[in-house]
Amino acid sequence: MAKKRPQTKAKRPQIADGEVPVVGAREPCPCGSGRRYKACHGRAAAQAVTELVQRPFEGLPGECDWVALRELVPAATAELTLKGGLPEGVPSVTLATVLPMAWPALRRDDGSVLLGLQNDTASGDISRDLADTLQQALAAQPGTPVQGRRAPADGPRLQDLLDPEGAFEPVVHPGFEFWVPDAENATAEVTASLERANAAAIPTVKLTGVDSAYWCETPEKNHLRWVMPHPEEQLLDALARLHAAGASSLGEGTRLVGSFRAHGLTVPVWDLPSGVGAEDVEKPAAEFAERLADALATDTPLTPDERRARGGLTNRQVTLS
């Protein structure tokens, strides 16, 4: 019978986590403990990568619009307000849905910063990854893009960097011309990326009468996708009450077809006839918001018809993130 390997009692070297570089999981840990990286300082990094934060934008002004810009809107920007104000030499910080060549961030020639939202992230906390990219961009040389990296497990989140009282007001654009201040003098690579992005963008409009509702146009039919902040179970009950009562549509030819989850929030979706534009659903959406508020305030048990309606809605629900 093989003997068990004796456990060593050597004292672990004292070294701060922030001083340990990242190496291969099976390589010796640089701290000098004699153990593999994955069994030593790599444990915290691995947990940070795999641990999913369900609501990464919770606590930020405009959480619902953060979700919409991350998942629904092709081309949009929003000015960000930092705690303590802007650093010297940084005239503005702007969130953008995507940037040319899928850059995580860009420090423009004038020192302003563009932060990309729809990029892949290295961990399960989008907020921490974006905060790390933002900090890199603030310190980058003007005129340079910022590459993504794995954020430190104890690094700040957006909630630590952004002013909680700052306004978050997305501006939806028909295309990606906001990428370059002078499109005529853009490089051939940026111009080609701009043309490809514009060709693929789905026309999208943010409604003005209600919060976080976005109309979009597709070849076969149009849609309204509305990011809502209410607790999921309460919202589904309310939608079921309205659906069973025939009050869930946004007018003739429109239909509530289901919902999806995105970053901890629920997003109901309506199909609209191709001739129905964003301006056509402004009033119906505002009226629906009033009906929904009444349904959310109702706490009586669901009727059999309402339970069937709820079952239909949940059967058509998917999770994006």
Side-chain angles (χ1 to χ4, degrees), residues 73-74 172 202-208 213-217 223-225 277-279 282:
V73 183
V172 178
I202 296 174
T204 301
V205 176
K206 186 179 189 297
L207 299 195
T208 60
Y214 292 80
W215 170 93
C216 69
E217 180 183 20
H223 305 280
L224 184 73
R225 299 175 291 186
E279 66 282 358
E282 286 280 7

Side-chain angles (χ1 to χ4, degrees), residues 28-49:
C29 187
C31 77
S33 66
R35 292 188 289 174
R36 291 178 177 177
Y37 176 70
K38 70 176 184 178
C40 192
H41 279 83
R43 283 180 172 175
Q47 182 179 2
V49 168

Side-chain angles (χ1 to χ4, degrees), residues 28 100 171 178:
V171 177
F178 65 85

Side-chain angles (χ1 to χ4, degrees), residues 207-231:
L207 299 195
T208 60
V210 295
D211 294 333
S212 310
Y214 292 80
W215 170 93
C216 69
E217 180 183 20
T218 62
E220 295 183 358
K221 63 183 69 174
N222 300 339
H223 305 280
L224 184 73
R225 299 175 291 186
W226 193 338
V227 187
M228 296 187 172
H230 316 292

Side-chain angles (χ1 to χ4, degrees), residues 14-22 30-31 41:
Q14 298 299 309
I15 185 169
D17 287 352
E19 299 172 356
V20 180
V22 176
C31 77
H41 279 83

Side-chain angles (χ1 to χ4, degrees), residues 15-196:
I15 185 169
D17 287 352
E19 299 172 356
V20 180
V22 176
V23 298
R26 294 181 176 275
E27 295 179 30
C29 187
C31 77
S33 66
R35 292 188 289 174
R36 291 178 177 177
Y37 176 70
K38 70 176 184 178
C40 192
H41 279 83
R43 283 180 172 175
Q47 182 179 2
V49 168
T50 58
E51 186 176 356
L52 178 64
V53 176
Q54 297 293 335
R55 290 180 62 179
F57 307 118
E58 184 177 15
L60 292 175
E63 179 188 6
C64 292
D65 285 313
W66 277 88
V67 172
L69 266 57
R70 169 76 182 184
E71 299 295 340
L72 307 179
V73 183
T77 56
E79 297 299 312
L80 299 180
T81 304
L82 305 186
K83 288 182 178 179
L86 295 167
E88 184 178 356
V90 181
S92 63
V93 175
T94 303
L95 182 74
T97 46
V98 291
L99 295 177
M101 276 73 76
W103 289 328
L106 172 65
R107 182 86 184 272
R108 281 178 160 166
D109 291 335
D110 66 354
S112 61
V113 168
L114 289 177
L115 176 66
L117 179 58
Q118 294 182 10
N119 296 84
D120 293 335
T121 54
S123 78
D125 187 353
I126 297 171
S127 178
R128 194 179 309 280
D129 290 329
L130 288 171
D132 182 67
T133 302
L134 175 57
Q135 286 188 313
Q136 291 186 75
L138 293 171
Q141 291 296 318
T144 58
V146 174
Q147 300 301 322
R149 67 179 185 185
R150 186 167 66 194
D154 58 350
R157 307 177 73 239
L158 287 174
Q159 289 82 347
D160 302 315
L161 302 183
L162 301 184
D163 185 348
E165 303 300 324
F168 187 77
E169 300 174 351
V171 177
V172 178
H173 304 279
F176 296 89
E177 282 72 20
F178 65 85
W179 280 354
V180 286
D182 184 5
E184 293 183 357
N185 295 321
T187 65
E189 187 179 21
V190 170
T191 299
S193 181
L194 178 61
E195 291 176 352
R196 289 193 300 270

